[in-house]
C-alpha cells in the first residue's frame, strides 16, 4: 500500500511527468544519433517503437491542452465509478471528426 500511495503522489506532481517527457526526448535523440551518426539501419521493431513513442507524446500533448473539455477518458471514468443501468457504452465506435477511422 505504501508503494501505491507513493505512485499516486508522484502522478499528481508535475515533475514526474516532466521527467518522463525528458527521458522520452533523450531516448529519441539517442535513437536518432545511432541511426544517422553511426549509420545503423533500423529494424521493423525500432520503427514501431519510435512511432509509438512519438504518437504517445503527441497524444499526451493533445490531452494536456484539451483538459478543459469533456474527454473520452472522463466519460469512461464516469461510466466506471457511477454505475447506472441507464448510462451504457455505445454500440458504435465514436471517433473525432478529424480522425475518421471507421470510413
Amino acid at each position: 500500500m505504501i508503494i501505491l500511495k507513493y505512485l499516486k503522489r508522484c502522478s499528481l506532481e508535475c515533475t514526474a511527468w516532466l521527467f518522463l517527457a525528458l527521458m522520452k526526448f533523450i531516448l529519441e535523440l539517442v535513437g536518432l544519433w545511432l541511426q544517422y551518426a553511426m549509420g545503423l539501419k533500423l529494424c521493423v521493431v525500432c520503427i514501431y517503437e519510435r512511432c509509438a513513442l512519438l504518437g504517445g507524446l503527441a497524444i499526451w500533448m493533445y490531452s494536456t491542452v484539451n483538459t478543459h473539455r469533456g474527454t473520452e477518458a472522463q466519460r469512461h471514468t464516469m461510466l466506471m465509478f457511477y454505475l447506472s443501468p441507464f448510462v451504457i457504452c455505445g454500440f458504435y465506435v465514436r471517433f473525432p471528426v478529424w480522425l475518421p477511422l471507421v470510413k
Side-chain angles (χ1 to χ4, degrees):
M1 291 304 288
I2 296 172
I3 294 173
L4 293 176
K5 288 181 183 178
Y6 173 73
L7 290 175
K8 180 183 178 188
R9 190 182 49 171
C10 286
S11 71
L12 297 175
E13 296 175 2
C14 186
T15 55
W17 295 108
L18 290 176
F19 178 73
L20 183 66
L22 178 69
M23 291 306 296
K24 185 261 173 256
F25 183 71
I26 290 172
L27 288 173
E28 190 66 35
L29 287 178
V30 168
L32 290 172
W33 180 74
L34 288 172
Q35 180 182 358
Y36 293 110
M38 296 191 64
L40 295 175
K41 300 289 183 193
L42 288 179
C43 66
V44 175
V45 175
C46 294
I47 295 171
Y48 287 147
E49 288 175 358
R50 189 173 288 174
C51 289
L53 285 173
L54 290 174
L57 181 65
I59 290 171
W60 176 63
M61 290 174 66
Y62 175 78
S63 65
T64 55
V65 169
N66 292 321
T67 54
H68 64 281
R69 295 188 204 163
T71 61
E72 287 295 317
Q74 290 172 344
R75 185 175 163 274
H76 285 276
T77 303
M78 295 297 286
L79 285 174
M80 288 188 308
F81 289 124
Y82 303 107
L83 298 175
S84 171
F86 303 108
V87 180
I88 59 171
C89 291
F91 293 110
Y92 300 104
V93 179
R94 296 183 321 168
F95 287 108
V97 176
W98 53 268
L99 188 65
L101 293 177
V102 178
K103 297 177 182 179

